[in-house]
Amino acid sequence: MTAETDSPDPTSSLLAFFGSELKRVRTEAGKSQGETARLAHTTQAMISYVESAKRVPSEDLARDLDVAFGTGGHFGRLYPLVIKFAYPSWFLPFVELEREAAAFRSFEGQVVPGLLQTEDYARSLYSAVRPDNLDELVAGRITRQGIFEREMPPHAWFVMDEYVLLRQVGGPAVMRGQLERLLSAGESPRTVIQVIPASIAAHPGLEGPFMILGFDEGEDVLYIDGFARGYMTADATDVGPAARTYDLLRATALSPVASAELIEARLKELRR
């Protein structure tokens, strides 16, 4: 069980305000986080995370909180404001599709894929561009990782360049935690992690990161990351070549076992 924590300054962000409002309403109703979780069809951990501005509430949770406490749509009206600052409007359709995906294939050449990032690593990355909504962005990224907590998590395949392991985002301590996270994630039977060694100078992923989402029903969807915004399409003329490129990347990369050994070796270097 996640321990109850103090809420952050409600004036620091909309996410913090949502959390403080939840704690206020819950406390006035004389409910614990566990009792609130049962009323809102979620977990005590999620209530704790939302109150501490560590997770972005879902629309369903906002609605269930209003029903549980009879707040007349208060949380439902706050939800769009929180989402606006947690995810860019153009990115929301992708986040929604990602929640429904049964499988995905991801390639990254510069940084650890967002779905595998630790909170400290994500914060260090976002801090570099000095956003006004840092807390919301970090919480939004970590919230997306909730797909791995589903009763049936998606099949996930990650390929990344070794340079991702060499770039010390946030410094040695942050990077140690991040590499440990990669090793832990790779132990899941539904998650595969492969690394393309730095000794391979040219490979099919040099044009940039991308992800292919697969669904139980419907066509695959391709997402290509970009500087200002990403691009998403289900057009077979784009998805087909991307799938072939991914096959080449998997063939070029080290095996999952050898990749884990490489990550472990890098981790040992950082522990010295």
Side-chain angles (χ1 to χ4, degrees):
M1 178 179 292
T2 302
E4 295 195 16
T5 57
D6 293 333
S7 297
D9 179 0
T11 66
S12 63
S13 69
L14 281 167
L15 187 62
F17 180 72
F18 188 104
S20 69
E21 283 295 277
L22 171 53
K23 185 172 184 178
R24 178 185 65 79
V25 170
R26 173 178 67 79
T27 302
E28 290 178 355
K31 301 295 184 182
S32 68
Q33 289 183 342
E35 291 172 320
T36 299
R38 287 190 290 275
L39 289 170
H41 314 294
T42 186
T43 63
Q44 184 268 333
M46 179 56 70
I47 296 298
S48 177
Y49 285 140
V50 170
E51 288 190 357
S52 58
K54 298 292 186 181
R55 296 289 188 277
V56 178
S58 67
E59 187 173 13
D60 287 344
L61 177 57
R63 183 184 61 248
D64 288 342
L65 288 172
D66 280 325
V67 172
F69 293 113
T71 41
H74 176 59
F75 291 108
R77 289 189 294 273
L78 286 177
Y79 171 76
L81 299 176
V82 173
I83 286 293
K84 179 180 179 181
F85 285 87
Y87 302 113
S89 59
W90 59 265
F91 192 58
L92 270 176
F94 173 78
V95 173
E96 293 170 355
L97 283 174
E98 188 178 59
R99 289 177 187 147
E100 303 300 324
F104 57 80
R105 291 162 280 177
S106 167
F107 170 74
E108 279 285 355
Q110 298 292 328
V111 298
V112 171
L115 291 175
L116 294 177
Q117 291 176 11
T118 64
E119 183 174 340
D120 289 338
Y121 185 96
R123 184 170 295 276
S124 297
L125 278 180
Y126 278 126
S127 294
V129 296
R130 302 184 179 184
D132 294 328
N133 56 330
L134 176 61
D135 290 340
E136 285 97 338
L137 290 173
V138 173
R141 176 153 294 180
I142 301 305
T143 298
R144 287 172 52 207
Q145 299 175 9
I147 61 175
F148 295 115
E149 298 171 4
R150 295 184 336 210
E151 183 176 349
M152 186 62 71
H155 288 283
W157 204 302
F158 298 95
V159 177
M160 63 191 77
D161 202 297
E162 184 180 356
Y163 291 108
V164 170
L165 311 180
L166 299 175
R167 178 171 287 106
Q168 289 191 33
V169 174
V174 171
M175 203 61 198
R176 283 196 297 270
Q178 181 60 74
L179 295 182
E180 289 169 354
R181 168 80 173 95
L182 291 180
L183 290 172
S184 175
E187 293 176 354
S188 168
R190 300 176 74 87
T191 299
V192 177
I193 296 176
Q194 289 184 267
V195 178
I196 297 177
S199 58
I200 298 179
H203 59 72
L206 294 180
E207 292 188 3
F210 65 97
M211 180 185 288
I212 303 173
L213 302 180
F215 304 88
D216 290 329
E217 295 181 6
E219 302 298 325
D220 288 353
V221 173
L222 169 66
Y223 173 76
I224 302 173
D225 212 352
F227 174 71
R229 62 178 57 198
Y231 168 72
M232 187 166 60
T233 178
D235 191 323
T237 59
D238 292 318
V239 177
R244 288 191 290 275
T245 294
Y246 205 82
D247 287 341
L248 290 172
L249 287 168
R250 289 189 289 199
T252 301
L254 298 173
S255 70
V257 172
S259 296
E261 291 173 350
L262 182 60
I263 295 171
E264 180 65 42
R266 178 58 180 156
L267 181 57
K268 289 180 179 179
E269 292 177 2
L270 292 174
R271 286 173 173 166
R272 291 173 185 167

